[in-house]
Amino acid sequence: MSTPFKLLVFAGSTRQNSFNRKLAHAAAELARASGATVTHIELADFDIPMYNADLEAKGTPPDVMNLKKIMFEHPAWIICSPEYNGSYTALLKNTIDWVSSPVKSDPVWQEGFKSFTGKVVGMLSASPGALGGLRSQSHLAPLLLNAHCWVAPQAFALGRAGDAFDVDGKLVNPAHVKSVQAVIDQVLFASARLAA
């Protein structure tokens, strides 16, 4: 890349020892090494209640507005999605529901999908099981497409995640590193082409 590209990385988990949070950290490091300007956020740092239209009518929470702006400012995203009961997490769905909800009192944010439209999203997942959270990706992709995102065809599901990281949280298998890098490369490539 001739100029640094802004990439947002986050995981759909707040669990302290989450494999997907570890994967997000590893992906952020690889993306920085690729020349991207990376913003790695933790959803736990945002005070976002369960979505409720009555609550929203009283005013969109400040941290939702902050997240809307962060997501809007990044043309490329990497989402690390845990798999709960064969799908993505309630945390991830709630975050998307809030960020995609229009703020009727604010002319800048009256379009609900403003933070999503045109974003190129790469999906990663990690799980102790053999499939690596693959089913969460199969449910997340239609949700992102509905929100007007471009979903990168290249994705990676990290199976046997309990053995995949060293004590510093780095991926130990070069093949896993290569697979994560392939997702990053495709997202950055596609984002640059769409921005051209």
Side-chain angles (χ1 to χ4, degrees), residues 116-130:
F116 294 83
T117 301
K119 308 306 180 184
V120 178
V121 185
M123 297 185 300
L124 300 175
S125 59
S127 168

Side-chain angles (χ1 to χ4, degrees), residues 166-191:
D166 64 19
V167 293
D168 297 319
K170 296 183 183 298
L171 291 165
V172 297
N173 189 329
H176 295 161
V177 173
K178 184 176 180 181
S179 294
V180 173
Q181 186 68 58
V183 176
I184 294 167
D185 289 347
Q186 189 172 80
V187 167
L188 295 177
F189 170 79
S191 298

Side-chain angles (χ1 to χ4, degrees), residues 81-185:
S81 176
E83 181 183 305
Y84 286 10
N85 293 320
S87 190
Y88 44 73
T89 62
L91 171 69
L92 187 54
K93 180 63 162 61
N94 188 60
T95 300
I96 291 172
D97 287 346
W98 266 116
V99 175
S100 64
S101 186
V103 184
K104 296 176 182 177
S105 62
D106 188 336
V108 175
W109 296 103
Q110 287 180 354
E111 167 53 49
F113 291 137
K114 178 176 179 175
S115 296
F116 294 83
T117 301
K119 308 306 180 184
V120 178
V121 185
M123 297 185 300
L124 300 175
S125 59
S127 168
L131 295 179
L134 188 63
R135 291 178 297 177
S136 72
Q137 296 182 16
S138 70
H139 288 192
L140 181 60
L143 180 64
L144 294 170
L145 290 170
N146 183 70
H148 304 171
C149 295
W150 296 87
V151 178
Q154 190 80 38
F156 176 57
L158 176 66
R160 316 287 187 210
D163 301 318
F165 301 93
D166 64 19
V167 293
D168 297 319
K170 296 183 183 298
L171 291 165
V172 297
N173 189 329
H176 295 161
V177 173
K178 184 176 180 181
S179 294
V180 173
Q181 186 68 58
V183 176
I184 294 167
D185 289 347

Side-chain angles (χ1 to χ4, degrees), residues 6-38:
K6 295 182 73 174
L7 174 70
L8 178 65
V9 180
F10 62 96
S13 176
T14 57
R15 189 172 67 86
Q16 185 174 1
N17 293 315
S18 163
F19 296 129
N20 284 276
R21 288 182 60 222
K22 290 181 180 180
L23 187 57
H25 180 77
E29 286 194 348
L30 288 170
R32 288 189 185 100
S34 298
T37 299
V38 178

Side-chain angles (χ1 to χ4, degrees), residues 56-78:
E56 183 181 34
K58 298 176 183 178
T60 301
D63 273 4
V64 172
M65 296 304 302
N66 290 339
L67 196 51
K68 279 179 177 283
K69 293 169 186 174
I70 290 169
M71 295 173 88
F72 175 75
E73 291 167 357
H74 291 78
W77 304 351
I78 296 287

